[in-house]
């Protein structure tokens, strides 16, 4: 499978698209005014300790205080899996603490923090609080794991640097020189961060992660990536210089795209972004998915739609579910959906079919950079899974809550609004002694009051013995209205 990475750089935002066999699989957007915070290191000030939640709120200079749980507080002699004591024993109000952001602010929630700092490079992650070398589980070959471990142990034998390294998936096949270069880079960076920790006041940034177009090389380039194309000459020059230091032996081609046609248009990525904002996703067979993202979870409903199959119903359902499993994994990456995800596959009777659909889902998710966990198919045909969420979804980045419906996704009918107006008129007429009333409403509601509800309106006028006048307002939504006393 061939991969390409497209980078679209503009003053207000940078966008990165990962393509597999020419099809967009992942979209990452970073806006200049709202840059992601994940990976940033701050010197924070404890502004509130909550023993009941085993957590504390930390002021790191953002609009909202960030969140630090007791289990995310470690020191040089512990690991993140160790049991910790009470939050009151670990931090105190007004105290200073060095923290790193692991999750951007999402919705009304502040950023999520840890004290177990990590500094990534191309092949390695340096962990000051780590005591032993760890290796990515995605490197499955035991001989390769032992080779990498031996190389890092040999390289770090002569260093007095506290902490240790995690060997990333990208290190598979890397030679000793590449690993040495990473160790030197991380050593220099950590010493610089230590100096900044001493001099930086509380509530200030100590270390900022790389901009998106540089992170694309560090985090997304792998042996399967053939080409990286970028449409900004200035950024291209910086990217090449960065890549020569970070991945000098890589075969990936870093190209500048000078064309007049926008690079995302050329590869159809703009269309994919628009489709990723819709609820309905069409499958090639004629079936479709319905994706609903809520505060608590994301639900995915699989439907056969226009697909009727050729043999029998069970075979039709199985083929639809197999196709849906591939499409769902792509949509999760494309839309960057995280948290709890419930997939409602079409009910299957054959246990072997259920097993094959689940294996297809797991195989497709194995290419996902985000950590995922899947359960078995339940008796209701549901698959529960989680996907690690570190940044806002594509919908939350590009869209805002509808001002008309308030995010419900539906509006009261004109008929319902008319009946509300009638009740409001009765309420006002009984409470106040006026000569007439003026109803301000949207054009759709006024049209209904003058047409289908005209007889009811006339009866109401006779009942309250007051004149009711109507006036349409172009700026009113269908649910908005006012009853004015005259």
């Amino acid at each position: 499978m061939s991969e390409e990475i497209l980078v679209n750089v503009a003053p207000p935002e940078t966008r990165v698209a990962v393509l597999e066999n020419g099809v967009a699989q992942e979209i990452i957007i970073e806006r200049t005014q709202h840059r992601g915070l994940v990976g940033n290191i701050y010197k924070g000030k404890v502004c509130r300790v909550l023993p009941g939640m085993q957590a504390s709120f930390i002021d790191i200079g953002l609009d909202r205080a960030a969140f630090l749980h007791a289990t995310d507080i470690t020191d040089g002699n512990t690991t993140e899996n160790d049991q910790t004591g009470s939050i009151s024993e670990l931090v105190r109000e007004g105290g200073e603490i060095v923290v790193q952001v692991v999750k951007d602010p999402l919705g009304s929630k502040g950023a999520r923090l840890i004290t177990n700092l990590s500094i990534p490079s191309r092949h390695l992650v340096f962990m000051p609080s780590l005591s032993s070398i760890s290796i990515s589980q995605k490197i499955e070959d035991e001989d390769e794991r032992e080779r990498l471990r031996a190389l890092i142990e040999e390289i770090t034998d002569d260093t007095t640097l506290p902490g240790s390294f995690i060997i990333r998936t990208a290190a598979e096949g890397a030679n000793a020189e590449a690993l040495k270069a990473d160790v030197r880079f991380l050593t220099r960076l950590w010493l610089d961060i230590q100096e900044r920790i001493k001099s930086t006041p509380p509530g200030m940034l100590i270390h900022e992660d790389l901009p998106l177009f540089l992170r694309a090389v560090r985090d997304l380039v792998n042996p399967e990536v053939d080409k990286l194309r970028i449409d900004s000459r200035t950024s291209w020059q910086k990217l090449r210089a960065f890549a020569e230091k970070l991945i000098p032996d890589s075969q990936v081609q870093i190209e500048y795209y000078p064309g007049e046609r926008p690079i995302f248009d050329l590869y159809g990525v703009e269309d994919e972004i628009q489709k990723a904002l819709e609820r309905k996703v069409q499958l090639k067979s004629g079936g479709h998915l319905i994706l609903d993202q809520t505060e608590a979870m994301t639900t995915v409903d699989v439907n056969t739609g226009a697909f009727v199959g050729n043999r029998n119903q069970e075979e039709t359902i199985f083929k639809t579910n197999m196709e849906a499993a591939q499409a769902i994994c792509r949509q999760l990456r494309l839309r960057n959906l995280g948290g709890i995800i419930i997939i409602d596959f079409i009910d299957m009777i054959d246990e072997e079919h259920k097993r094959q659909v689940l294996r297809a889902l797991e195989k497709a998710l194995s290419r996902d950079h985000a950590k995922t966990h899947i359960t078995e198919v339940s008796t209701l045909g549901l698959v529960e899974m989680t996907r690690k969420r570190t940044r806002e979804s594509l919908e939350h980045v590009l869209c805002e809550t509808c001002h008309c419906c308030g995010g419900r996704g539906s509006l009261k009918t004109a008929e319902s609004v008319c009946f509300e107006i009638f009740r409001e008129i009765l309420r006002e007429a009984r409470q106040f002694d006026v000569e007439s009333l003026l109803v301000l409403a949207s054009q759709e509601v006024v049209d209904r009051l003058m047409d289908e509800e005209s007889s009811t309106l006339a009866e109401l006028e006779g009942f309250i013995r007051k004149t009711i006048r109507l006036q349409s307002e172009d700026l009113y939504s269908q649910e908005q209205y006012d009853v004015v006393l005259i």
Side-chain angles (χ1 to χ4, degrees), residues 64-319:
R64 291 194 299 271
F67 182 83
L68 176 65
H69 196 270
T71 55
D72 293 322
I73 300 175
T74 59
D75 57 38
N77 301 314
T78 61
T79 67
E80 59 185 356
N81 294 322
D82 287 340
Q83 293 297 319
T84 57
S86 167
I87 187 67
S88 302
E89 299 171 0
L90 298 169
V91 296
R92 58 180 177 79
E93 284 194 23
E96 297 179 5
I97 187 168
V98 177
V99 290
Q100 187 170 34
V101 178
V102 291
K103 189 180 291 186
D104 279 329
L106 299 173
S108 59
K109 299 176 182 177
R112 181 74 182 259
L113 306 175
I114 59 171
T115 62
N116 192 15
L117 307 183
S118 62
I119 307 165
S121 64
R122 172 65 183 148
H123 302 107
L124 305 170
V125 178
F126 175 63
M127 304 278 287
S129 62
L130 203 65
S131 57
S132 60
I133 295 169
S134 300
I135 304 175
S136 167
Q137 293 182 353
K138 290 188 177 181
I139 301 178
E140 298 178 351
D141 188 286
E142 283 300 324
D143 292 337
E144 178 64 8
R145 292 173 69 89
E146 287 304 316
R147 182 186 76 87
L148 291 170
R149 185 187 297 277
L151 278 175
I152 293 298
E153 287 176 349
E154 182 182 343
I155 293 168
T156 56
D157 272 348
D158 299 330
T159 65
T160 57
L161 194 68
S164 193
F165 296 90
I166 295 174
I167 301 173
R168 304 180 68 179
T169 309
E172 190 168 9
N175 58 33
E177 285 304 315
L179 296 176
K180 283 180 183 178
D182 271 23
V183 170
R184 286 194 297 269
F185 166 76
L186 291 172
T187 301
R188 289 195 303 269
L189 183 56
W190 174 240
L191 292 174
D192 180 55
I193 289 172
Q194 284 183 309
E195 289 299 318
R196 293 185 188 180
I197 288 173
K198 296 174 185 176
S199 59
T200 302
M204 298 296 291
L205 177 69
I206 294 171
H207 169 72
E208 186 173 27
D209 203 6
L210 298 170
L212 178 58
F213 74 96
L214 295 180
R215 294 205 310 272
V217 171
R218 186 188 71 190
D219 299 334
L220 300 178
V221 170
N222 59 61
E224 294 181 352
V225 175
D226 302 320
K227 190 184 298 182
L228 186 151
R229 305 188 78 184
I230 183 168
D231 60 3
S232 165
R233 180 177 290 276
T234 304
S235 299
W236 169 68
Q237 292 170 343
K238 293 178 181 177
L239 196 60
R240 289 202 53 180
F242 180 75
E244 285 174 7
K245 292 181 180 179
L246 193 70
I247 47 173
D249 299 327
S250 175
Q251 300 300 312
V252 65
Q253 299 176 30
I254 299 177
E255 298 180 358
Y256 167 58
Y257 172 73
E260 293 184 3
R261 189 177 178 191
I263 190 169
F264 272 29
D265 286 356
L266 185 67
Y267 286 81
V269 178
E270 293 289 4
D271 292 337
E272 291 295 338
I273 292 174
Q274 296 306 315
K275 290 177 183 177
L277 299 177
E278 298 174 2
R279 288 183 67 224
K280 191 173 183 178
V281 178
Q282 289 291 348
L283 303 177
K284 291 182 179 179
S285 64
H288 63 265
L289 310 176
I290 300 293
L291 291 95
D292 286 308
Q293 184 182 357
T294 67
E295 184 75 17
M297 67 182 70
T298 296
T299 60
V300 185
D301 186 29
V302 183
N303 299 284
T304 53
F307 182 50
V308 294
N310 298 320
R311 298 182 183 178
N312 54 52
Q313 184 181 17
E314 180 67 16
E315 193 68 23
T316 301
I317 290 171
F318 173 61
K319 285 185 176 180

